[in-house]
mmCIF file of all heavy atoms in Angstrom:
data_model
loop_
_atom_site.group_PDB
_atom_site.id
_atom_site.type_symbol
_atom_site.label_atom_id
_atom_site.label_comp_id
_atom_site.label_asym_id
_atom_site.label_seq_id
_atom_site.Cartn_x
_atom_site.Cartn_y
_atom_site.Cartn_z
ATOM 1 N N GLN A 1 -36.303 144.734 105.374
ATOM 2 C CA GLN A 1 -36.682 144.927 103.977
ATOM 3 C C GLN A 1 -36.247 146.288 103.462
ATOM 4 O O GLN A 1 -35.776 146.419 102.328
ATOM 5 C CB GLN A 1 -38.188 144.740 103.818
ATOM 6 C CG GLN A 1 -38.678 143.310 104.011
ATOM 7 C CD GLN A 1 -38.787 142.908 105.472
ATOM 8 O OE1 GLN A 1 -38.656 143.747 106.354
ATOM 9 N NE2 GLN A 1 -39.006 141.619 105.698
ATOM 10 N N SER A 2 -36.417 147.325 104.297
ATOM 11 C CA SER A 2 -36.002 148.670 103.868
ATOM 12 C C SER A 2 -34.500 148.732 103.651
ATOM 13 O O SER A 2 -34.018 149.355 102.696
ATOM 14 C CB SER A 2 -36.410 149.694 104.937
ATOM 15 O OG SER A 2 -37.817 149.779 105.041
ATOM 16 N N LEU A 3 -33.740 148.094 104.535
ATOM 17 C CA LEU A 3 -32.281 148.108 104.395
ATOM 18 C C LEU A 3 -31.863 147.353 103.138
ATOM 19 O O LEU A 3 -30.903 147.725 102.463
ATOM 20 C CB LEU A 3 -31.644 147.500 105.631
ATOM 21 C CG LEU A 3 -31.699 148.387 106.867
ATOM 22 C CD1 LEU A 3 -31.315 147.580 108.103
ATOM 23 C CD2 LEU A 3 -30.794 149.591 106.704
ATOM 24 N N THR A 4 -32.589 146.257 102.830
ATOM 25 C CA THR A 4 -32.259 145.508 101.626
ATOM 26 C C THR A 4 -32.500 146.342 100.389
ATOM 27 O O THR A 4 -31.700 146.362 99.456
ATOM 28 C CB THR A 4 -33.093 144.228 101.564
ATOM 29 O OG1 THR A 4 -32.825 143.441 102.738
ATOM 30 C CG2 THR A 4 -32.752 143.404 100.334
ATOM 31 N N ARG A 5 -33.637 147.068 100.356
ATOM 32 C CA ARG A 5 -33.905 147.962 99.217
ATOM 33 C C ARG A 5 -32.829 149.024 99.129
ATOM 34 O O ARG A 5 -32.364 149.374 98.055
ATOM 35 C CB ARG A 5 -35.285 148.612 99.374
ATOM 36 C CG ARG A 5 -36.440 147.662 99.141
ATOM 37 C CD ARG A 5 -37.728 148.458 98.912
ATOM 38 N NE ARG A 5 -38.027 149.339 100.007
ATOM 39 C CZ ARG A 5 -38.737 148.995 101.072
ATOM 40 N NH1 ARG A 5 -39.205 147.765 101.173
ATOM 41 N NH2 ARG A 5 -38.981 149.864 102.031
ATOM 42 N N LEU A 6 -32.441 149.566 100.262
ATOM 43 C CA LEU A 6 -31.401 150.591 100.273
ATOM 44 C C LEU A 6 -30.089 150.065 99.742
ATOM 45 O O LEU A 6 -29.367 150.747 99.008
ATOM 46 C CB LEU A 6 -31.220 151.107 101.701
ATOM 47 C CG LEU A 6 -30.152 152.176 101.924
ATOM 48 C CD1 LEU A 6 -30.381 153.352 100.987
ATOM 49 C CD2 LEU A 6 -30.163 152.628 103.367
ATOM 50 N N SER A 7 -29.754 148.814 100.076
ATOM 51 C CA SER A 7 -28.534 148.219 99.554
ATOM 52 C C SER A 7 -28.578 148.173 98.029
ATOM 53 O O SER A 7 -27.609 148.480 97.360
ATOM 54 C CB SER A 7 -28.370 146.801 100.120
ATOM 55 O OG SER A 7 -27.318 146.133 99.482
ATOM 56 N N GLU A 8 -29.721 147.761 97.508
ATOM 57 C CA GLU A 8 -29.838 147.665 96.042
ATOM 58 C C GLU A 8 -29.703 149.032 95.394
ATOM 59 O O GLU A 8 -29.072 149.187 94.346
ATOM 60 C CB GLU A 8 -31.177 146.995 95.685
ATOM 61 C CG GLU A 8 -31.207 145.532 96.120
ATOM 62 C CD GLU A 8 -32.591 144.944 96.005
ATOM 63 O OE1 GLU A 8 -33.552 145.724 95.738
ATOM 64 O OE2 GLU A 8 -32.731 143.731 96.182
ATOM 65 N N HIS A 9 -30.305 150.079 96.023
ATOM 66 C CA HIS A 9 -30.145 151.435 95.509
ATOM 67 C C HIS A 9 -28.676 151.854 95.514
ATOM 68 O O HIS A 9 -28.162 152.427 94.547
ATOM 69 C CB HIS A 9 -30.942 152.429 96.387
ATOM 70 C CG HIS A 9 -32.423 152.321 96.204
ATOM 71 N ND1 HIS A 9 -33.011 152.166 94.970
ATOM 72 C CD2 HIS A 9 -33.434 152.365 97.109
ATOM 73 C CE1 HIS A 9 -34.332 152.117 95.134
ATOM 74 N NE2 HIS A 9 -34.605 152.243 96.405
ATOM 75 N N ALA A 10 -27.990 151.568 96.619
ATOM 76 C CA ALA A 10 -26.597 152.006 96.720
ATOM 77 C C ALA A 10 -25.724 151.316 95.699
ATOM 78 O O ALA A 10 -24.828 151.922 95.106
ATOM 79 C CB ALA A 10 -26.064 151.707 98.126
ATOM 80 N N GLN A 11 -25.978 150.022 95.470
ATOM 81 C CA GLN A 11 -25.149 149.312 94.510
ATOM 82 C C GLN A 11 -25.380 149.824 93.094
ATOM 83 O O GLN A 11 -24.453 149.923 92.288
ATOM 84 C CB GLN A 11 -25.439 147.813 94.599
ATOM 85 C CG GLN A 11 -25.086 147.197 95.950
ATOM 86 C CD GLN A 11 -23.640 147.380 96.306
ATOM 87 O OE1 GLN A 11 -22.814 147.611 95.450
ATOM 88 N NE2 GLN A 11 -23.319 147.295 97.583
ATOM 89 N N LEU A 12 -26.657 150.109 92.759
ATOM 90 C CA LEU A 12 -26.953 150.650 91.440
ATOM 91 C C LEU A 12 -26.262 151.993 91.258
ATOM 92 O O LEU A 12 -25.709 152.299 90.220
ATOM 93 C CB LEU A 12 -28.477 150.816 91.298
ATOM 94 C CG LEU A 12 -28.976 151.558 90.035
ATOM 95 C CD1 LEU A 12 -28.547 150.775 88.784
ATOM 96 C CD2 LEU A 12 -30.489 151.673 90.086
ATOM 97 N N TYR A 13 -26.293 152.782 92.329
ATOM 98 C CA TYR A 13 -25.703 154.123 92.279
ATOM 99 C C TYR A 13 -24.190 154.095 92.118
ATOM 100 O O TYR A 13 -23.565 155.012 91.629
ATOM 101 C CB TYR A 13 -26.103 154.843 93.553
ATOM 102 C CG TYR A 13 -25.427 156.167 93.779
ATOM 103 C CD1 TYR A 13 -25.508 157.181 92.831
ATOM 104 C CD2 TYR A 13 -24.714 156.400 94.948
ATOM 105 C CE1 TYR A 13 -24.903 158.397 93.043
ATOM 106 C CE2 TYR A 13 -24.114 157.602 95.155
ATOM 107 C CZ TYR A 13 -24.209 158.612 94.203
ATOM 108 O OH TYR A 13 -23.604 159.799 94.429
ATOM 109 N N SER A 14 -23.533 152.994 92.540
ATOM 110 C CA SER A 14 -22.078 152.973 92.558
ATOM 111 C C SER A 14 -21.444 153.031 91.182
ATOM 112 O O SER A 14 -20.254 153.283 91.068
ATOM 113 C CB SER A 14 -21.585 151.708 93.287
ATOM 114 O OG SER A 14 -21.957 150.561 92.560
ATOM 115 N N ARG A 15 -22.201 152.766 90.108
ATOM 116 C CA ARG A 15 -21.723 152.970 88.736
ATOM 117 C C ARG A 15 -20.460 152.161 88.422
ATOM 118 O O ARG A 15 -19.513 152.640 87.833
ATOM 119 C CB ARG A 15 -21.442 154.446 88.488
ATOM 120 C CG ARG A 15 -22.613 155.367 88.657
ATOM 121 C CD ARG A 15 -22.173 156.797 88.641
ATOM 122 N NE ARG A 15 -21.596 157.131 87.363
ATOM 123 C CZ ARG A 15 -20.694 158.099 87.183
ATOM 124 N NH1 ARG A 15 -20.273 158.781 88.196
ATOM 125 N NH2 ARG A 15 -20.229 158.379 85.984
ATOM 126 N N ASN A 16 -20.433 150.918 88.797
ATOM 127 C CA ASN A 16 -19.296 150.077 88.411
ATOM 128 C C ASN A 16 -19.790 148.674 88.106
ATOM 129 O O ASN A 16 -20.964 148.349 88.240
ATOM 130 C CB ASN A 16 -18.179 150.093 89.465
ATOM 131 C CG ASN A 16 -18.704 149.638 90.820
ATOM 132 O OD1 ASN A 16 -19.438 148.668 90.902
ATOM 133 N ND2 ASN A 16 -18.311 150.336 91.869
ATOM 134 N N THR A 17 -18.862 147.812 87.716
ATOM 135 C CA THR A 17 -19.243 146.474 87.272
ATOM 136 C C THR A 17 -19.764 145.605 88.396
ATOM 137 O O THR A 17 -20.295 144.517 88.138
ATOM 138 C CB THR A 17 -18.023 145.770 86.643
ATOM 139 O OG1 THR A 17 -16.954 145.759 87.592
ATOM 140 C CG2 THR A 17 -17.557 146.507 85.395
ATOM 141 N N LEU A 18 -19.671 146.067 89.646
ATOM 142 C CA LEU A 18 -20.223 145.283 90.740
ATOM 143 C C LEU A 18 -21.709 145.058 90.563
ATOM 144 O O LEU A 18 -22.260 144.036 90.995
ATOM 145 C CB LEU A 18 -19.964 145.997 92.079
ATOM 146 C CG LEU A 18 -20.476 145.291 93.340
ATOM 147 C CD1 LEU A 18 -19.795 143.953 93.490
ATOM 148 C CD2 LEU A 18 -20.281 146.164 94.558
ATOM 149 N N ALA A 19 -22.400 145.974 89.914
ATOM 150 C CA ALA A 19 -23.851 145.837 89.706
ATOM 151 C C ALA A 19 -24.151 144.561 88.930
ATOM 152 O O ALA A 19 -25.141 143.860 89.233
ATOM 153 C CB ALA A 19 -24.395 147.051 88.962
ATOM 154 N N GLU A 20 -23.341 144.252 87.913
ATOM 155 C CA GLU A 20 -23.560 143.035 87.139
ATOM 156 C C GLU A 20 -23.355 141.799 88.024
ATOM 157 O O GLU A 20 -24.081 140.815 87.928
ATOM 158 C CB GLU A 20 -22.615 143.005 85.956
ATOM 159 C CG GLU A 20 -22.836 144.148 84.959
ATOM 160 C CD GLU A 20 -24.225 144.107 84.352
ATOM 161 O OE1 GLU A 20 -24.829 143.000 84.277
ATOM 162 O OE2 GLU A 20 -24.726 145.166 83.958
ATOM 163 N N HIS A 21 -22.339 141.876 88.887
ATOM 164 C CA HIS A 21 -22.088 140.758 89.792
ATOM 165 C C HIS A 21 -23.284 140.543 90.721
ATOM 166 O O HIS A 21 -23.695 139.428 90.985
ATOM 167 C CB HIS A 21 -20.822 141.048 90.614
ATOM 168 C CG HIS A 21 -20.569 140.049 91.700
ATOM 169 N ND1 HIS A 21 -20.157 138.753 91.435
ATOM 170 C CD2 HIS A 21 -20.673 140.139 93.042
ATOM 171 C CE1 HIS A 21 -20.012 138.104 92.580
ATOM 172 N NE2 HIS A 21 -20.330 138.927 93.572
ATOM 173 N N LEU A 22 -23.831 141.655 91.259
ATOM 174 C CA LEU A 22 -24.973 141.535 92.148
ATOM 175 C C LEU A 22 -26.185 140.980 91.432
ATOM 176 O O LEU A 22 -26.987 140.261 92.011
ATOM 177 C CB LEU A 22 -25.305 142.911 92.749
ATOM 178 C CG LEU A 22 -24.271 143.430 93.744
ATOM 179 C CD1 LEU A 22 -24.647 144.845 94.164
ATOM 180 C CD2 LEU A 22 -24.186 142.537 94.962
ATOM 181 N N ARG A 23 -26.373 141.329 90.190
ATOM 182 C CA ARG A 23 -27.485 140.771 89.438
ATOM 183 C C ARG A 23 -27.398 139.243 89.408
ATOM 184 O O ARG A 23 -28.393 138.533 89.516
ATOM 185 C CB ARG A 23 -27.508 141.334 88.009
ATOM 186 C CG ARG A 23 -28.071 142.730 87.918
ATOM 187 C CD ARG A 23 -28.241 143.156 86.468
ATOM 188 N NE ARG A 23 -28.900 144.432 86.400
ATOM 189 C CZ ARG A 23 -28.270 145.595 86.528
ATOM 190 N NH1 ARG A 23 -26.976 145.619 86.696
ATOM 191 N NH2 ARG A 23 -28.931 146.729 86.468
ATOM 192 N N HIS A 24 -26.188 138.749 89.237
ATOM 193 C CA HIS A 24 -26.012 137.292 89.172
ATOM 194 C C HIS A 24 -26.223 136.669 90.555
ATOM 195 O O HIS A 24 -26.923 135.681 90.714
ATOM 196 C CB HIS A 24 -24.605 136.984 88.665
ATOM 197 C CG HIS A 24 -24.291 135.503 88.726
ATOM 198 N ND1 HIS A 24 -24.836 134.605 87.846
ATOM 199 C CD2 HIS A 24 -23.487 134.803 89.555
ATOM 200 C CE1 HIS A 24 -24.380 133.386 88.129
ATOM 201 N NE2 HIS A 24 -23.565 133.483 89.160
ATOM 202 N N GLU A 25 -25.582 137.309 91.592
ATOM 203 C CA GLU A 25 -25.649 136.735 92.920
ATOM 204 C C GLU A 25 -27.063 136.734 93.482
ATOM 205 O O GLU A 25 -27.442 135.825 94.204
ATOM 206 C CB GLU A 25 -24.708 137.517 93.866
ATOM 207 C CG GLU A 25 -23.230 137.325 93.557
ATOM 208 C CD GLU A 25 -22.792 135.904 93.794
ATOM 209 O OE1 GLU A 25 -23.248 135.295 94.774
ATOM 210 O OE2 GLU A 25 -22.002 135.373 92.989
ATOM 211 N N ARG A 26 -27.836 137.794 93.187
ATOM 212 C CA ARG A 26 -29.180 137.888 93.738
ATOM 213 C C ARG A 26 -30.252 137.443 92.765
ATOM 214 O O ARG A 26 -31.434 137.602 93.016
ATOM 215 C CB ARG A 26 -29.465 139.345 94.166
ATOM 216 C CG ARG A 26 -28.487 139.832 95.211
ATOM 217 C CD ARG A 26 -28.898 141.200 95.696
ATOM 218 N NE ARG A 26 -27.935 141.726 96.638
ATOM 219 C CZ ARG A 26 -28.074 142.858 97.277
ATOM 220 N NH1 ARG A 26 -29.125 143.599 97.091
ATOM 221 N NH2 ARG A 26 -27.138 143.278 98.133
ATOM 222 N N ALA A 27 -29.819 136.899 91.606
ATOM 223 C CA ALA A 27 -30.759 136.419 90.594
ATOM 224 C C ALA A 27 -31.745 137.508 90.201
ATOM 225 O O ALA A 27 -32.938 137.269 90.049
ATOM 226 C CB ALA A 27 -31.509 135.194 91.107
ATOM 227 N N LEU A 28 -31.246 138.724 90.060
ATOM 228 C CA LEU A 28 -32.087 139.825 89.650
ATOM 229 C C LEU A 28 -32.396 139.695 88.157
ATOM 230 O O LEU A 28 -31.628 139.087 87.422
ATOM 231 C CB LEU A 28 -31.398 141.171 89.917
ATOM 232 C CG LEU A 28 -31.141 141.496 91.387
ATOM 233 C CD1 LEU A 28 -30.421 142.822 91.484
ATOM 234 C CD2 LEU A 28 -32.441 141.545 92.156
ATOM 235 N N PRO A 29 -33.484 140.290 87.699
ATOM 236 C CA PRO A 29 -33.787 140.232 86.268
ATOM 237 C C PRO A 29 -32.694 140.908 85.479
ATOM 238 O O PRO A 29 -31.984 141.778 85.985
ATOM 239 C CB PRO A 29 -35.111 141.028 86.171
ATOM 240 C CG PRO A 29 -35.670 141.030 87.547
ATOM 241 C CD PRO A 29 -34.496 141.006 88.473
ATOM 242 N N PRO A 30 -32.500 140.526 84.205
ATOM 243 C CA PRO A 30 -31.460 141.141 83.391
ATOM 244 C C PRO A 30 -31.747 142.616 83.154
ATOM 245 O O PRO A 30 -32.894 143.061 83.276
ATOM 246 C CB PRO A 30 -31.519 140.348 82.079
ATOM 247 C CG PRO A 30 -32.907 139.767 82.058
ATOM 248 C CD PRO A 30 -33.248 139.480 83.484
ATOM 249 N N ARG A 31 -30.702 143.339 82.827
ATOM 250 C CA ARG A 31 -30.834 144.777 82.560
ATOM 251 C C ARG A 31 -31.908 144.990 81.486
ATOM 252 O O ARG A 31 -31.979 144.297 80.498
ATOM 253 C CB ARG A 31 -29.498 145.347 82.080
ATOM 254 C CG ARG A 31 -29.528 146.857 81.918
ATOM 255 C CD ARG A 31 -28.205 147.366 81.392
ATOM 256 N NE ARG A 31 -27.095 147.027 82.272
ATOM 257 C CZ ARG A 31 -26.756 147.761 83.312
ATOM 258 N NH1 ARG A 31 -27.427 148.828 83.614
ATOM 259 N NH2 ARG A 31 -25.718 147.403 84.039
ATOM 260 N N GLY A 32 -32.718 145.982 81.737
ATOM 261 C CA GLY A 32 -33.784 146.303 80.803
ATOM 262 C C GLY A 32 -35.114 145.687 81.187
ATOM 263 O O GLY A 32 -36.162 146.047 80.667
ATOM 264 N N LYS A 33 -35.103 144.720 82.153
ATOM 265 C CA LYS A 33 -36.340 144.100 82.583
ATOM 266 C C LYS A 33 -36.591 144.304 84.062
ATOM 267 O O LYS A 33 -37.458 143.712 84.665
ATOM 268 C CB LYS A 33 -36.310 142.590 82.287
ATOM 269 C CG LYS A 33 -36.217 142.275 80.790
ATOM 270 C CD LYS A 33 -36.255 140.796 80.536
ATOM 271 C CE LYS A 33 -36.152 140.484 79.049
ATOM 272 N NZ LYS A 33 -36.181 139.039 78.791
ATOM 273 N N GLU A 34 -35.800 145.155 84.684
ATOM 274 C CA GLU A 34 -35.924 145.369 86.112
ATOM 275 C C GLU A 34 -37.204 146.100 86.472
ATOM 276 O O GLU A 34 -37.805 145.892 87.511
ATOM 277 C CB GLU A 34 -34.717 146.142 86.646
ATOM 278 C CG GLU A 34 -33.423 145.337 86.547
ATOM 279 C CD GLU A 34 -32.228 146.179 86.903
ATOM 280 O OE1 GLU A 34 -32.299 147.390 86.752
ATOM 281 O OE2 GLU A 34 -31.233 145.606 87.325
ATOM 282 N N GLN A 35 -37.648 147.027 85.601
ATOM 283 C CA GLN A 35 -38.821 147.816 85.884
ATOM 284 C C GLN A 35 -39.354 148.348 84.575
ATOM 285 O O GLN A 35 -38.640 148.386 83.571
ATOM 286 C CB GLN A 35 -38.491 148.990 86.810
ATOM 287 C CG GLN A 35 -37.413 149.901 86.262
ATOM 288 C CD GLN A 35 -37.025 150.965 87.277
ATOM 289 O OE1 GLN A 35 -37.323 150.875 88.436
ATOM 290 N NE2 GLN A 35 -36.376 151.982 86.796
ATOM 291 N N PRO A 36 -40.618 148.740 84.540
ATOM 292 C CA PRO A 36 -41.176 149.301 83.316
ATOM 293 C C PRO A 36 -40.418 150.548 82.914
ATOM 294 O O PRO A 36 -39.804 151.215 83.731
ATOM 295 C CB PRO A 36 -42.622 149.623 83.705
ATOM 296 C CG PRO A 36 -42.903 148.778 84.919
ATOM 297 C CD PRO A 36 -41.612 148.646 85.623
ATOM 298 N N ALA A 37 -40.468 150.844 81.614
ATOM 299 C CA ALA A 37 -39.793 152.039 81.123
ATOM 300 C C ALA A 37 -40.355 153.271 81.809
ATOM 301 O O ALA A 37 -41.536 153.365 82.110
ATOM 302 C CB ALA A 37 -39.990 152.163 79.604
ATOM 303 N N MET A 38 -39.488 154.264 82.083
ATOM 304 C CA MET A 38 -39.915 155.476 82.739
ATOM 305 C C MET A 38 -40.795 156.271 81.802
ATOM 306 O O MET A 38 -40.509 156.419 80.622
ATOM 307 C CB MET A 38 -38.693 156.311 83.129
ATOM 308 C CG MET A 38 -37.778 155.627 84.132
ATOM 309 S SD MET A 38 -36.319 156.583 84.495
ATOM 310 C CE MET A 38 -37.077 157.936 85.400
ATOM 311 N N ASN A 39 -41.917 156.793 82.334
ATOM 312 C CA ASN A 39 -42.770 157.608 81.501
ATOM 313 C C ASN A 39 -42.168 159.010 81.373
ATOM 314 O O ASN A 39 -41.129 159.328 81.968
ATOM 315 C CB ASN A 39 -44.184 157.674 82.069
ATOM 316 C CG ASN A 39 -44.222 158.256 83.477
ATOM 317 O OD1 ASN A 39 -43.421 159.098 83.824
ATOM 318 N ND2 ASN A 39 -45.170 157.781 84.283
ATOM 319 N N GLY A 40 -42.836 159.859 80.590
ATOM 320 C CA GLY A 40 -42.270 161.175 80.329
ATOM 321 C C GLY A 40 -42.043 161.995 81.569
ATOM 322 O O GLY A 40 -41.052 162.699 81.702
ATOM 323 N N ALA A 41 -42.990 161.907 82.537
ATOM 324 C CA ALA A 41 -42.839 162.688 83.761
ATOM 325 C C ALA A 41 -41.636 162.257 84.555
ATOM 326 O O ALA A 41 -40.894 163.074 85.108
ATOM 327 C CB ALA A 41 -44.106 162.541 84.617
ATOM 328 N N LYS A 42 -41.386 160.920 84.591
ATOM 329 C CA LYS A 42 -40.230 160.442 85.357
ATOM 330 C C LYS A 42 -38.927 160.812 84.658
ATOM 331 O O LYS A 42 -37.929 161.100 85.309
ATOM 332 C CB LYS A 42 -40.334 158.925 85.570
ATOM 333 C CG LYS A 42 -41.425 158.525 86.543
ATOM 334 C CD LYS A 42 -41.400 157.036 86.803
ATOM 335 C CE LYS A 42 -42.454 156.651 87.813
ATOM 336 N NZ LYS A 42 -42.441 155.190 88.080
ATOM 337 N N VAL A 43 -38.915 160.752 83.360
ATOM 338 C CA VAL A 43 -37.703 161.157 82.631
ATOM 339 C C VAL A 43 -37.399 162.620 82.898
ATOM 340 O O VAL A 43 -36.245 163.007 83.136
ATOM 341 C CB VAL A 43 -37.881 160.897 81.119
ATOM 342 C CG1 VAL A 43 -36.734 161.519 80.339
ATOM 343 C CG2 VAL A 43 -37.979 159.413 80.836
ATOM 344 N N GLU A 44 -38.458 163.441 82.895
ATOM 345 C CA GLU A 44 -38.245 164.863 83.174
ATOM 346 C C GLU A 44 -37.742 165.060 84.588
ATOM 347 O O GLU A 44 -36.844 165.875 84.846
ATOM 348 C CB GLU A 44 -39.561 165.611 82.980
ATOM 349 C CG GLU A 44 -39.438 167.108 83.202
ATOM 350 C CD GLU A 44 -40.754 167.833 82.980
ATOM 351 O OE1 GLU A 44 -41.723 167.184 82.536
ATOM 352 O OE2 GLU A 44 -40.810 169.047 83.237
#
């Protein structure tokens, strides 16, 4: 499970269109619904 989470972090970090492909392949929620909006402390 930890390695799977790490894979998702790495793919997000890669900053290319592969992230969209992974969203489709893994049936991830669409962009903007993956997690609640960051609060002020997290943005800072």
Side-chain angles (χ1 to χ4, degrees):
Q1 290 79 9
S2 295
L3 287 168
T4 301
R5 288 197 303 271
L6 178 54
S7 171
E8 292 169 352
H9 288 318
Q11 297 302 340
L12 172 61
Y13 171 56
S14 65
R15 300 169 64 206
N16 57 44
T17 56
L18 180 62
E20 297 299 333
H21 173 71
L22 290 175
R23 282 188 175 83
H24 174 73
E25 290 295 321
R26 300 186 184 185
L28 295 178
R31 186 183 300 276
K33 297 183 180 180
E34 294 173 334
Q35 58 185 15
M38 298 177 69
N39 59 32
K42 289 185 177 180
V43 171
E44 182 179 353

